[in-house]
Amino acid sequence: MNFPFLRCLGILMLLVLTALPALAQVSLKTKQYLLLSGPENTASHQFANDLAEIWSMPGVSFGSDLQPVSAMDGATRLEQMRDQRGHLAIINGQEAWQLLPEYPQVKVVSVLWPNVLYLISRLQPPQIVPLTAARTVRAPLQALEVIRAWDDQSPVLLLQETNWFRQEETIEALEGFKEDVFLSWGSYPLQEIRALLNFPGYYLTEAQDTLQKVWTQQLPWTRSYTLPAETYTGQPALQLLAEFPVLVVHETVPDSLVNNLLRSLFGHAESSNPRFLFRNLSTQHNLLFQQKLPYHSVARSFYRFP
């Protein structure tokens, strides 16, 4: 009998048995889900990184890893999901409205934070922007759809596009700002808006009802949204236009994970110290889109849609 061989075999079996629990634990964590978002320095990129950190927090049991991956636009992200090169994605409201019908395998988990349409006005009085008063507008590319809808009702001239995400350039440009209105989408509260309102003669305002209705009709992915009073010092409650980014998931992602994801999203939003973009999440926002967007069945039950 070959005792050295049997001894080596016994040691090997002991090592395998000792390693099995660790191997089992690793195997539970090897499933990796890819979350597609925008490029660096965009809000969706920040939200994706925050969600990945929440996903891995102690006490949050997904049994998998979440890996944020940047992709240039929503169309690219949806194509990658169709080809199963992504499991979740954040796309903007317009992309969700226009593109999701082409991707039946992609379902909505939740609309996310509201991006309101800021109107910084130099018109007097500052409370309302009349259709006939504003003739010149400064806006970023992201607001061009709004400008077109406005121009259909009352001609306005877009004099200059501004890179909203680079605060120092925006502030410097606005020191010589001569246009009637500055438009930009953004979450709230923003340091950039506070900085703009420090310039004398600049006011955060709302559009008159007629223009607001035009926008919601021609831009059906938007909704009227009340910016709470004192979001910015001295500011009354304002009725603004809002667009909501959308979190979507591929239909192959397990229902149990979608359920845990929803609970983690809104659980963190209601915590004592939520991340910035989680502060304005609300299950109620999904009621605005329940008949218009293709919600995941788990999400429909979570929101108690009829």
Side-chain angles (χ1 to χ4, degrees), residues 178-196:
K178 302 301 181 184
E179 293 85 356
D180 296 328
V181 175
F182 172 79
L183 290 182
S184 187
W185 293 105
S187 54
Y188 70 87
L190 288 179
Q191 293 180 353
E192 291 88 343
I193 290 294
R194 289 197 178 101
L196 296 183

Side-chain angles (χ1 to χ4, degrees), residues 57-288:
M57 282 181 176
V60 179
S61 178
F62 284 96
S64 57
D65 294 325
L66 184 66
Q67 178 63 49
V69 177
S70 294
M72 185 54 65
D73 54 40
T76 302
R77 294 167 219 162
L78 290 173
E79 289 172 5
Q80 290 182 217
M81 291 185 72
R82 179 194 59 199
D83 299 337
Q84 298 195 38
R85 291 183 290 124
H87 304 93
L88 304 95
I90 301 168
I91 58 179
N92 68 40
Q94 181 177 357
E95 292 164 340
W97 190 272
Q98 296 176 341
L99 299 179
L100 282 181
E102 302 173 20
Y103 298 89
Q105 65 275 77
V106 177
K107 302 299 181 183
V108 172
V109 175
S110 182
V111 298
L112 300 174
W113 69 93
N115 283 321
V116 298
L117 182 67
Y118 287 105
L119 290 86
I120 308 295
S121 173
R122 298 176 62 248
L123 301 174
Q124 296 289 340
Q127 286 75 24
I128 299 291
V129 177
L131 275 170
T132 55
R135 294 302 187 193
T136 56
V137 177
R138 180 185 298 239
L141 286 171
Q142 295 92 335
L144 292 188
E145 289 284 346
V146 176
I147 300 296
R148 293 191 186 102
W150 189 345
D151 190 55
D152 287 343
Q153 300 297 310
S154 180
V156 291
L157 179 62
L158 178 63
L159 291 186
Q160 184 174 346
E161 297 167 7
T162 302
N163 187 343
W164 177 242
F165 293 102
R166 298 184 63 179
Q167 178 182 348
E168 64 280 0
E169 288 190 9
T170 302
I171 299 303
E172 182 180 352
L174 287 180
E175 290 188 83
F177 178 35
K178 302 301 181 184
E179 293 85 356
D180 296 328
V181 175
F182 172 79
L183 290 182
S184 187
W185 293 105
S187 54
Y188 70 87
L190 288 179
Q191 293 180 353
E192 291 88 343
I193 290 294
R194 289 197 178 101
L196 296 183
L197 296 177
N198 284 334
F199 285 92
Y202 291 86
Y203 308 95
L204 181 58
T205 185
E206 62 186 18
Q208 69 182 91
D209 290 344
T210 307
L211 181 54
Q212 193 85 345
K213 289 178 181 177
V214 168
W215 280 339
T216 54
Q217 288 170 0
Q218 296 196 22
L219 311 174
W221 54 89
T222 64
R223 295 291 186 271
S224 291
Y225 184 85
T226 302
L227 184 70
E230 294 299 325
T231 299
Y232 301 98
T233 304
Q235 163 244 311
L238 295 174
Q239 198 69 21
L240 303 180
L241 197 67
E243 176 265 346
F244 297 80
V246 180
L247 177 63
V248 295
V249 64
H250 194 275
E251 62 184 0
T252 57
V253 171
D255 288 357
S256 58
L257 187 142
V258 176
N259 184 62
N260 286 342
L261 175 59
L262 283 163
R263 295 183 183 281
S264 293
L265 275 177
F266 294 104
H268 182 73
E270 296 168 3
S271 66
S272 58
N273 188 29
R275 310 290 175 96
F276 174 70
L277 290 171
F278 285 73
R279 295 176 187 176
N280 296 323
L281 296 187
S282 172
T283 57
Q284 297 301 307
H285 295 156
N286 289 279
L287 300 177
L288 301 172

